[in-house]
Amino acid sequence: MKDETFYTMALTRLTNFNYQQALTLYRTIGSAQLLYEYRHHIGDILKDSSPRLVEALKDWDDAMKRADFEIKYMEEHQIRALTLTDDDYPQRLAECPDAPIVLYYTGNADLNQAKIVSIVGTRRCTSYGQDLIRRFISDLKRYCPQVLIVSGLAYGVDIHAHREALASGYPTIGVLAHGLDQIYPYRHRDTAAEMLSHGGLLTEFMTQTNADKPNFVRRNRIVAGMADSVVVVESAEKGGSLITAEIAQSYNRAVFAFPGHVNAEFSKGCNNLIRDNGAALISNAEDFVKAMDWQDEARRQQALTDGIERNLFPDLSAEEQKIVSLLQQTNDLQLNILSVKSGLPIGQLTALLFQLEMKGIIKPLAGGMYHLLL
């Protein structure tokens, strides 16, 4: 039985991977299946459509055969197709004006984790860049233990970011410029395999799609769009990571860059980004955490380190006990619902929730949810 996902996959083939056209059609009609059902009357619905597009949208046969082939491959290799309307689709990316209408995903990471950082840079990462990545990720883990690290599985900065994430216990996602039937570069296959159980692989391309040059630029917008921020570690004066940074800026994402020696070839791009206000300067994870306003999480981790996080018999105020009681009845409640049920204003409730975090009684989840630990 054909469903919306099937027709969405076919639509990407029908538009020859013109993602902007596919997205416009999808959002205008509201459903790929409706596009198919009204394929002989598209001109009546989309008044500004060119005659060429109207004709192209009439014949879905080849596109549907290709979607059938892809679905069989997905079933055999535990691959999921995520459309814009799926809850598991990266919601940050869905807000972007050129979001893919379908993504292919294999792995176990939450693509909507509360904190997501993309790390990009040159394919010729120096020992200086490798050291920056190592220190940044290991220190970030101390401040914020639940972060998803995203990169592109390429040589240099990308692969070092993935490997350091794995070493630190972070889940990490590799965004690919080709289908999930191959790994490019091939020498990164072992790291990619490890990522499947500690993160995952993500792409907008069907199988049998090669890693052609234009696909890397398209891949970069996913790296930029699905994260809260983009960190550029090293870059020459020109390079793909600078394109990613520019895209991230257009999406109103925070962009950061590590500075380097003024004469260092692979620091020129970062230095220029900082000079031209294209990125904020950071020298360590602490700078980054402060700039992202993630200090509350850092303070909570310090409380853990100091041994004051968890008290089996905490001395709660009446308001704190009210919140705990509500979560005991129905765990994982959203902030606004907690406010309504408790009768506490948002401002006061937020402060109380932070105190309960410090005592190790609750923890925040994605989407403004709160989870009772005791």
Side-chain angles (χ1 to χ4, degrees), residues 11 14 93 95 101 110 126 263 274 285 303 311 315 323 342 351 362:
L11 179 60
L14 201 65
L93 181 62
E95 299 168 359
I101 61 173
D110 179 3
T126 69
N263 294 321
I274 295 166
N311 181 347
D315 185 14
I323 295 168
S342 67
I362 65 168

Side-chain angles (χ1 to χ4, degrees), residues 282-295:
I282 56 171
S283 57
N284 50 48
E286 185 177 6
D287 290 347
F288 174 81
V289 169
K290 288 179 179 178
M292 290 299 295
D293 198 22
W294 289 354
Q295 298 99 313

Side-chain angles (χ1 to χ4, degrees), residues 19-56:
Y19 57 80
Q20 192 63 65
Q21 185 179 75
L23 182 62
T24 299
L25 288 168
Y26 190 88
R27 285 181 167 162
T28 301
I29 302 298
S31 162
Q33 187 168 352
L34 281 177
L35 271 169
Y36 172 76
E37 292 173 358
Y38 290 98
R39 62 193 181 280
H40 296 300
H41 307 284
I42 292 297
D44 298 332
I45 301 171
L46 304 175
K47 302 295 184 182
D48 298 330
S49 299
S50 67
R52 183 177 179 181
L53 177 61
V54 169
E55 285 303 310

Side-chain angles (χ1 to χ4, degrees), residues 140-197:
L140 184 62
K141 178 71 174 180
R142 288 192 297 107
Y143 291 119
C144 304
Q146 296 181 339
V147 176
L148 177 63
I149 302 295
V150 176
S151 199
L153 203 71
Y155 289 112
V157 168
D158 287 20
I159 194 63
H160 285 292
H162 291 306
R163 288 171 178 165
E164 290 300 332
L166 291 170
S168 294
Y170 272 149
T172 181
I173 293 290
V175 184
L176 309 182
H178 50 77
L180 289 172
D181 55 336
Q182 59 178 300
I183 293 297
Y184 177 84
Y186 184 68
R187 67 188 297 178
H188 294 167
R189 65 192 182 281
D190 290 341
T191 301
E194 186 178 355
M195 290 165 63
L196 294 181
S197 56

Side-chain angles (χ1 to χ4, degrees), residues 105-125:
Y105 176 51
T106 180
N108 62 1
D110 179 3
L111 302 179
N112 290 296
Q113 191 155 318
K115 295 177 176 63
I116 303 179
V117 179
S118 289
I119 299 176
V120 300
T122 178
R123 294 176 182 234
R124 299 181 180 180
C125 187

